[in-house]
Structures are given as C-alpha cells and as structure tokens.
Amino acid sequence: MIASKFIATAVAIAMANCVAPQARATAPSAPVIQTQPVPAGPKALPQRNVTRFSDGLRCMDDMMYRFGVRDVSMMIEEMQDQSRRLGAGTRDMMVSAIADMTRRSRGVRLVTFGSDNQNVVQLLSIAQRLNDFKVVPQYDIRGSITQFDEDVTRKQASLGVSLLPSLFGARVSSAKDVSVLGFDASVVSTGDLALVPGASSKNTVVVTRDDKGVGDGQAQIHNGNLSFSFDVAHNEGVAQALRNMIELSTIELTGKLLRLPYWGCLNINVADPEVQREMEDWFLSMQGTPELTRFVQDQLRNRKFYDGPADGVSNAATADALAAYRRGVVMGDAGELDFELFKAFLLRPIPKAPEKPFTAEKTTPGQPGTAGAPGKEIKLSVRVAKTRYRKGEPIELTVSTSLPGYVYCYVQSPTTGKIQRIFPNRFMRDPRLEANTPLLLPGAQGFKMLAGGEDVKQQVVGCLATEREVYNDLPPALRWGDFEDIRLGTFDDIRDAFALVAKGPVSLEGALIDVSDK
C-alpha cells in the first residue's frame, strides 16, 4: 500500500513537469549593458596555521631570552622522506618553526641554503664562501621521515536499504583508518661532524581518521613514555600531523642542545622520570669540570647576582653570589654545587637580585687590589696592525682596557657597509676583559676579517666598554647574532643604545682603515 502511494506520487510529479507552459505576451526587452564586475577577494578570511605547539615555540623564545642564549648558529640539511610517499616540505616546516621560536630572543640563527640535497661538507664550504668573516654554522640539523605506514588498521561497516531500486535507495557507511608516521632528527657539530650526545628527537604520530560524516580526525604523538594529542582536520590529514611533529622536534632538539628546561613549554610534569633522568644526565656530564662552574657563573651574571669573568675558575665573588642565590630559592646559604641546586637554576623562578652584584676582585697588573671607582669611565684602546691594507688582506686589531670591564667590538662589513658584531662571538662568548690584558682579534678564533670589498676605500672598526654586562638589557636592534647585520647605522648610535641601559659611562674607541687595490 505504501509502495503504491509512493509510485502514484512520483508519477504525478513527473506528469506535472511534462505539461507545456502557457504562452504569454511579453514586452520588448530593454538593451542590456554589460559591465565589468567589481574585483573582490575571496569571501573566506585567511586562516593562520595554528598548531598544537605554536604556544610552545613562543615559550621557547621567552626561555632563550631569559637564559641569555645568544650566538648559536645552525644549518638544516634537506630532510628526506625515506618512505617516498608523502612529498611534504619537512625542511621548510622546521625552518618556519625556528623562525617562530626566535622572534624575540634571536638566540639561534638559522643559515638556509637551496632545497637540493647536497653533502654537508659542500654546504659548509658554500657557507664559508658567502660569509664576509669566513665563519660556518656551529651545528647541523639532520633528519628524515623514517616511517609511514598507511591504514595500519581499518574498520569499515555499512548498511543499505532500497525501495524499488529503480526509484529510491540509501546507504550509510562508516570507516576508521589508522596511519603511523615517524620522524627522527639529531644535531651534529660541524667542527668534526660528530653527533652531539643527547641532542636527538624520535617521535611517532598515530593518525586516526573517521570517514563517518565530515568530522575531524585525531592524532597522537608518542615520544618515549610521553604522548601529545591534537585534532587533525579532515582536509589536512597526515601533513598537519607531520607539522605538529616537526614543531615538537624543534622544541626538543633546541632544549637538549642548549640544556634548557624545554619540557615546561610542552606542559610535561617535571616529576616525570624521563625529565628527571635528562636533568641528571646534563649535570653528570658537567660535574667535576670547569664547564659546570662556567654555567653557574654565566647564569649568576645573567641574573645580576655576580659581576666577574665566566671562565670556569671559581672565586670568592662566585661563592658569595651562589650563597645569595641559594638563600633566594630557600635552600640555605651553605652547600655544594650539587644536583638539587642545578635543578633550581633550571626550574625555579629567578629570585630577586641583590642591590649590587657580588663583584670579582678588580686588579691591575702590578697593582694588586686596585680597582676603578664605581661609575668611572674605562679607558679603551683599539689599535690596528697598520692603517693601510690591500684589498682582501687580513685585518688584525688589539683591544685593551684600563680597568676590568665588558667589551663589544664591531666592524663595518666590506660588502654591505652594514655594521656587524665580531666580539663576543660563538668562539669566545665571554665579553669580560681584565685590565691591561690585550685581546687580539681575530687571533686564534675561527673567523677572518678581510679588508675591502667592491669599491670600498675605507673601513671602520670600533669597540665599546662598559663597567657591567648589559647584553640582556640591550634593545632588539643590538640583539642580532654575531657576524650579522645589526639594525643601527653608526657607531655613535650603538654607543647611545648602550648608554641607555648601562647606567654608567660607555667608552667608544675606533680605528679607520684605508683600503687600496694594490
């Protein structure tokens, strides 16, 4: 009975559609004027690709700024897809992640090349030729998509119903697919092409896609005993899951390389056994070596508890500053530099600094115990080996100060005319210079200064000296990496920027070099 009514209704509709329309009298139509439509953009607003780890990248940027990270240079090899099935721009994803992670701190400088897959030795040779100072990145990131297993498990169900198949039918189906994607990456020192111990990332992402309706899928990244879950839009699929995994690897590699508490940016509980084990590995690798003392001196100076050299040699000011720091984190003022104190530097909020930092004894050779009065300008000497150089000839200069202080040296690039910092640098990170102790640049450091460039007749070098370390207080224009163009045009501009944060006199001394073709 129901089928008969359905057939009758369908026939009636069909006959109604077959009736010819009645003729109507129509007035003559007006002439049509064709106009060009007004150009309009897409109706859909542009969407920024925000991933599960976007906040983590910004967190790492703030962390590098807080820990005073600077002058770390990296390069990235082409990241191959060993599965040969995805075709995603893995290397470009990591480039974007590092760019987001260095907006404020500028702690890491990434050197990029073309997309061709060259040998790392060739890439280093190209980097050296392109740089005015013949420097190469310190580290090389290498990695690849090591696994892509599609449809590891697949569950499918369907239900169909039909009423007179020639007229009506319906079918409902549901399918769930699970794919597994793996990415491995590590950091290599370019000096000897040796793997940096512990600086590796091994992540696997499990992507679950539900084809029922238009709902989104789910993905879960597995990293050892840890896991991270996030949504995967149905029209983005595995590529979006790969981007999340790349950003996680970027955070992980940077934290492990620089020994930063990166797990805080991933919302991982510090009590997790893997986190505790990693911190212990870092501590044991430095225990009993000058590296541990240097780490403490650098962090105490960065946090304004200490004013002295970060040379790995303990002194009375280091001990006093360390005791004050222990009191600040409520650990008592006595005790060794043990694992618990090391963890306090990594994990606890920075305590309030003393009114004045504990200052290492400032002495002048031949006059033990003498020191400059606070706020006294440091006399700075900058001498070049000669005032006239042939084009392409190596330049050497000697810098010395009348009192202990912190020295920053800059040179005008022979090719761009921009000013770049040459000291401190990735080879010699401590800007502290003791009184009447000459500093030779470049000396044994791994860079070169060559005179001249295309149509360059004169070149300027200059150094500044301050009583205290001011790098972390400098404006963004001066926080660019070593051997990189800064965003100020003259040496006087640099001195003025230093003076704003130094809270004391800033010395500036320079030298002018004449350049000839012969």
Side-chain angles (χ1 to χ4, degrees), residues 221-250:
I221 296 177
H222 296 278
N223 180 317
N225 296 327
L226 308 176
S227 65
F228 306 89
S229 299
F230 53 93
D231 293 331
V232 179
H234 69 278
N235 61 342
E236 292 171 336
V238 176
Q240 182 70 357
L242 176 61
R243 182 181 294 276
N244 277 274
M245 191 161 53
I246 293 297
E247 293 185 354
L248 169 61
S249 295
T250 302

Side-chain angles (χ1 to χ4, degrees), residues 308-505:
D311 54 5
V313 179
S314 187
N315 53 50
T318 302
D320 292 339
L322 197 57
Y325 197 87
R326 290 180 65 96
R327 291 192 296 271
V329 294
V330 197
M331 295 182 65
D333 57 359
E336 297 294 328
L337 179 50
D338 55 9
F339 180 50
E340 293 303 316
L341 184 56
F342 177 73
K343 287 197 299 183
F345 276 104
L346 293 179
L347 303 177
R348 297 196 185 185
I350 298 175
K352 183 180 179 180
E355 186 176 346
K356 292 184 179 180
F358 294 91
T359 305
E361 186 179 6
K362 300 179 179 181
T363 61
T364 304
Q367 297 179 346
T370 61
K376 183 178 181 180
E377 184 173 1
I378 299 173
K379 292 182 180 180
L380 182 64
S381 171
V382 177
R383 293 180 290 109
V384 291
K386 54 186 181 180
T387 58
R388 189 174 185 85
Y389 285 83
R390 295 191 305 274
K391 184 177 177 179
E393 187 178 1
I395 300 173
E396 286 194 343
L397 64 146
T398 304
V399 183
S400 61
T401 60
S402 61
L403 298 169
Y406 297 88
V407 174
Y408 286 81
C409 293
Y410 298 83
V411 68
Q412 191 176 36
S413 169
T415 56
T416 66
K418 300 289 186 179
I419 298 175
Q420 300 179 348
R421 172 165 53 84
I422 60 171
F423 180 83
N425 54 54
R426 66 193 68 174
F427 309 106
M428 193 170 180
R429 298 182 180 279
D430 191 1
R432 171 89 174 187
L433 194 61
E434 298 301 326
N436 299 324
T437 304
L439 170 67
L440 182 63
L441 294 175
Q445 300 174 43
F447 72 97
K448 296 180 180 179
M449 287 191 297
L450 302 180
E454 193 66 30
D455 299 326
V456 174
K457 301 300 182 184
Q458 288 186 324
Q459 205 166 337
V460 181
V461 296
C463 297
L464 298 96
T466 61
E467 186 182 19
R468 67 179 186 90
E469 167 70 297
V470 297
Y471 179 82
N472 285 343
D473 300 324
L474 290 174
L478 282 170
R479 292 185 62 89
W480 296 94
D482 56 352
F483 312 110
E484 186 176 3
D485 294 347
I486 66 170
R487 300 307 190 258
L488 294 179
T490 68
F491 286 88
D492 287 334
D493 290 339
I494 298 174
R495 179 184 56 190
D496 293 344
F498 267 83
L500 289 175
V501 298
K503 299 178 181 178

Side-chain angles (χ1 to χ4, degrees), residues 208-228:
T208 303
R209 295 285 304 281
D210 192 345
D211 290 341
K212 178 177 61 180
V214 294
D216 293 345
Q218 293 288 322
Q220 189 174 56
I221 296 177
H222 296 278
N223 180 317
N225 296 327
L226 308 176
S227 65
F228 306 89

